Amino acid sequence: IDDRVDEMQQYVAFLRGINVGGHRVKMDRLRGLFKEMGFSNVSTFIASGNVIFSASSGDVDSMTARIEQSLAERLGYDVATFIRSPDELEAIAAFGAADAGTDEPSTTSLYVVLLQAPASDDLRATLSGLRSEMDEFRFSGREIYWLLQGNISESRLFGRVFEKAIQGVPSTTRNITTIRRLVAKLGTGQARA
């Protein structure tokens, strides 16, 4: 009897720079690349570099390095990778729900900046120093929660200012709605195969 199925764990890889900035990758190709790396139950969620997969290894650092190396070789450019378990994603969605309450929820946006390690004290200080009536940052684990009064594209921090502020720390950003939808899909097994 093969017990390997029982040992499989589900993860989501959030990939930076997929289908933005001229780096176009079809989702069927991306799923194929993950299967070539030895992952199973591979599916994608929307075309922005969210890959659901199962692995027998629980070594997230090793998986991250393998994915980044393989994608760089096959796609020809670096793809920073951020892996989270379903439980971690549920915690992110719950943190976002608890932290985003305002009198006018329709005018706020919440984005999650995913990191590979917790934000340094220096990064926390830099981003906290950028707080304004529109922008506020909260920190928890390997995530930075960016609460905006309005849309992200309206923020003076959007784009180059934020990229400079994050000091070259690898990151990728998702709207909290994407995270919540992904959590819902993981719970019901409806991710796109």
Side-chain angles (χ1 to χ4, degrees):
I1 297 174
D2 185 1
D3 292 332
R4 206 166 164 226
V5 172
D6 295 333
E7 298 172 17
M8 297 298 269
Q9 297 175 45
Q10 192 174 42
Y11 296 96
V12 178
F14 295 91
L15 309 176
R16 180 180 170 95
I18 296 293
N19 292 335
V20 296
H23 294 149
R24 300 282 173 220
V25 181
K26 292 188 184 236
M27 293 300 100
D28 59 346
R29 180 173 185 216
L30 191 56
R31 289 189 295 272
L33 293 173
F34 268 70
K35 289 174 186 175
E36 287 174 18
M37 288 181 245
F39 298 118
S40 59
N41 303 317
V42 178
S43 60
T44 53
F45 181 73
I46 63 177
S48 61
N50 308 305
V51 182
I52 302 161
F53 66 96
S54 295
S56 57
S57 170
D59 185 347
V60 171
D61 291 339
S62 175
M63 286 188 291
T64 299
R66 180 166 38 137
I67 292 167
E68 288 180 340
Q69 179 179 354
S70 180
L71 292 179
E73 290 170 0
R74 288 172 173 84
L75 300 178
Y77 56 90
D78 291 336
V79 180
T81 301
F82 308 85
I83 296 177
R84 299 295 187 268
S85 70
D87 288 345
E88 289 172 320
L89 290 177
E90 285 182 23
I92 291 168
F95 184 96
D99 207 51
T102 66
D103 292 338
E104 300 177 34
S106 63
T107 64
T108 63
S109 301
L110 180 61
Y111 286 81
V112 181
V113 182
L114 301 158
L115 307 174
Q116 292 174 337
S120 67
D121 290 342
D122 189 38
L123 179 56
R124 286 173 180 248
T126 298
L127 291 177
S128 294
L130 295 174
R131 186 174 192 263
S132 68
E133 288 184 17
M134 182 168 197
D135 302 282
E136 183 176 344
F137 296 96
R138 306 276 171 88
F139 306 89
S140 179
R142 297 179 293 161
E143 284 73 46
I144 300 170
Y145 297 87
W146 185 356
L147 181 62
L148 295 116
Q149 301 302 318
N151 294 320
I152 194 169
S153 61
E154 298 167 348
S155 169
R156 68 178 179 83
L157 304 181
F158 181 64
R160 291 179 194 221
V161 175
F162 182 78
E163 289 302 316
K164 183 178 179 187
I166 204 155
Q167 307 165 1
V169 172
S171 68
T172 193
T173 303
R174 299 294 187 274
N175 186 303
I176 194 66
T177 303
T178 299
I179 299 288
R180 290 178 184 146
R181 288 178 56 208
L182 188 49
V183 167
K185 295 280 187 191
L186 289 170
T188 60
Q190 295 176 358
R192 207 176 299 157

